[in-house]
Amino acid sequence: MEKKNIDWSNLGFGYMETDYRYVSNFKNGAWDEGALITDANITMSECACVLQYAQTIFEGLKAYTTEDGHIVCFRPDLNASRLADSAKRLEMPVFPEDKFVDAVKQVVKANASYVPPFGSGATLYLRPYMFGSNAVIGVKPATEYQFRVFATPVGPYFKGGAKPITIRVSDFDRAAPNGTGHIKAGLNYAMSLHAIVSAHEEGYDENMYLDPQTRTKVEETGGANFLFVTKDGKVVTPKSNSILPSITRRSLVYVAKEYLGLEVEEREVYLDELKDFAECGLCGTAAVISPVGKVVDHGKEICFPSGMEEMGPITKKLYETLTGIQMGKIEAPEGWIVTIE
Ligand SMILES: *Cc1c(COP(=O)(O)O)cnc(C)c1O
């Protein structure tokens, strides 16, 4: 298959229209067959529930080329089950999990000419999502839905090495204690836009959100979970029911325990213990781990001993092991790598 003429190593993280996307519609209580289509645009009612009341959820995962030339994706079954959890919380119908994985495979296969070659650092980003599509004006869930998956090639997250970032403790909250922080809903992002724009204006890369009830515990950033490393080499990750369960973080916890023999604690992490950690990283599909060098809490700087030049040693080991598993250089646990072709 011939690849598109794209400068893979200079791609950014932006949308580029590709040839095919998958669409399935839910109507009269059932999902239709679903199909690949070429039209990238959507036409719907001006009063669609998604437009008026933000009834929309999404997922994000990547397809990429391994060293031996296969196109694969990473744990898509976990994206399928997380989308199902998100759907239930927003009173949307569940898209069958096996059909989700099949839809992802179909989209990757149909857009294989857009899958970046091995070694470019670029990947094919996949965006499955679902929204309420019929007209709703009195507040209630839609009765018609559309599930779609599109693909867009994206560049390497770190161009020229992973430089540690600086984040601030945010005065804005991301998720209410019994709200929707644990699901991947567009609404969680809408309310984070002001916080991220103001963080950037003040020179910070990201926001660290605290638990809104006590403002003493670390939750996550707008789109990534935290991993910390203690001075004696233990991996610590915050536990809270308003954190989005990152697939990358869950995979890194497994890698830490089973591949690297590290002790892992999933527990509440207090803001005032940050100064005791040796390393800090943000985990998510986009970067796998971005190292954090500094946290600023209202003028008070907390600098991790790993510094502002490179990833801490344990963060780096975690990063290299997981990316090695993803790229087919290190044997993967059963079911983690799904080969598409
Ligand atoms: C998607 C997301 C993450 C990262 O999850 P992955 O499955 O690792 O990509 C973390 N936090 C939030 C709020 C997210 O929406």
Side-chain angles (χ1 to χ4, degrees):
M1 166 263 328
E2 198 158 329
K3 292 286 177 191
K4 299 281 174 181
N5 184 19
I6 294 170
D7 183 4
W8 305 107
S9 48
N10 283 314
L11 276 172
F13 196 89
Y15 172 74
M16 177 190 291
E17 192 180 314
T18 53
D19 296 341
Y20 296 96
R21 65 277 303 123
Y22 179 93
V23 180
S24 180
N25 288 296
F26 182 91
K27 200 173 174 173
N28 301 322
W31 289 104
D32 68 10
E33 267 301 291
L36 290 173
I37 62 164
T38 55
D39 188 357
N41 296 304
I42 298 171
T43 303
M44 64 182 154
S45 167
E46 62 187 353
C47 198
C49 196
V50 59
L51 299 178
Q52 304 309 324
Y53 304 124
Q55 197 185 21
T56 181
I57 54 178
F58 68 99
E59 277 300 325
L61 70 161
K62 287 168 165 180
Y64 49 91
T65 309
T66 57
E67 198 162 21
D68 58 1
H70 289 294
I71 296 176
V72 303
C73 62
F74 184 70
R75 310 188 79 180
D77 54 315
L78 295 189
N79 296 97
S81 70
R82 194 168 63 186
L83 189 80
D85 292 340
S86 299
K88 288 172 197 161
R89 179 64 176 78
L90 291 195
E91 290 295 334
M92 302 167 88
V94 166
F95 190 72
E97 294 180 32
D98 53 336
K99 285 193 72 175
F100 176 106
V101 174
D102 182 57
V104 164
K105 287 183 180 168
Q106 284 190 46
V107 170
V108 175
K109 222 177 182 146
N111 295 297
S113 56
Y114 289 94
V115 180
F118 175 79
S120 64
T123 55
L124 187 72
Y125 183 75
L126 297 155
R127 173 52 62 89
Y129 62 115
M130 192 203 289
F131 54 90
S133 54
N134 66 298
V136 166
I137 193 79
V139 178
K140 59 174 186 273
T143 52
E144 295 176 13
Y145 293 86
Q146 193 163 93
F147 168 83
R148 296 175 81 102
V149 183
F150 70 75
T152 188
V154 294
Y157 195 83
F158 299 120
K159 285 183 185 154
K163 278 276 177 202
I165 59 169
T166 300
I167 65 179
R168 70 164 183 192
V169 174
S170 175
D171 285 327
F172 300 103
D173 294 324
R174 189 189 85 90
N178 297 296
T180 54
H182 61 301
I183 62 164
K184 219 168 167 72
L187 60 91
N188 291 330
Y189 280 78
M191 42 70 60
S192 75
L193 297 175
H194 176 61
I196 194 67
V197 168
S198 92
H200 289 164
E201 279 168 0
E202 290 175 24
Y204 301 104
D205 298 296
E206 265 296 346
N207 284 302
M208 169 183 275
Y209 292 106
L210 303 179
D211 74 297
Q213 206 151 29
T214 70
R215 303 196 64 80
T216 57
K217 289 176 273 185
V218 175
E219 295 243 300
E220 59 172 322
T221 66
N225 287 180
F226 281 106
L227 271 190
F228 298 100
V229 181
T230 63
K231 286 180 178 145
D232 57 358
K234 226 183 276 168
V235 174
V236 178
T237 184
K239 189 185 177 94
S240 154
N241 55 17
S242 46
I243 288 176
L244 196 280
S246 157
I247 293 164
T248 313
R249 186 251 303 159
R250 287 181 272 163
S251 302
L252 286 165
V253 161
Y254 184 91
V255 163
K257 286 185 197 160
E258 305 298 327
Y259 283 68
L260 303 177
L262 299 171
E263 211 176 304
V264 179
E265 287 177 357
E266 190 175 341
R267 60 165 171 85
E268 292 181 326
V269 173
Y270 287 86
L271 181 59
D272 63 13
E273 60 176 312
L274 288 189
K275 60 181 191 328
D276 303 326
F277 290 123
E279 302 175 35
C280 172
L282 296 175
C283 6
T285 294
V288 180
I289 310 182
S290 333
V292 176
K294 194 196 287 185
V295 180
V296 180
D297 177 15
H298 302 89
K300 194 177 81 194
E301 294 197 346
I302 302 151
C303 299
F304 297 105
S306 51
M308 294 304 293
E309 287 306 314
E310 52 188 16
M311 277 194 185
I314 292 188
T315 307
K316 189 161 184 200
K317 235 185 222 166
L318 284 165
Y319 177 81
E320 284 174 351
T321 310
L322 184 57
T323 52
I325 288 169
Q326 290 175 331
M327 288 300 165
K329 291 184 196 162
I330 298 173
E331 193 173 345
E334 179 84 31
W336 279 25
I337 305 295
V338 173
T339 303
I340 289 161
E341 61 173 51

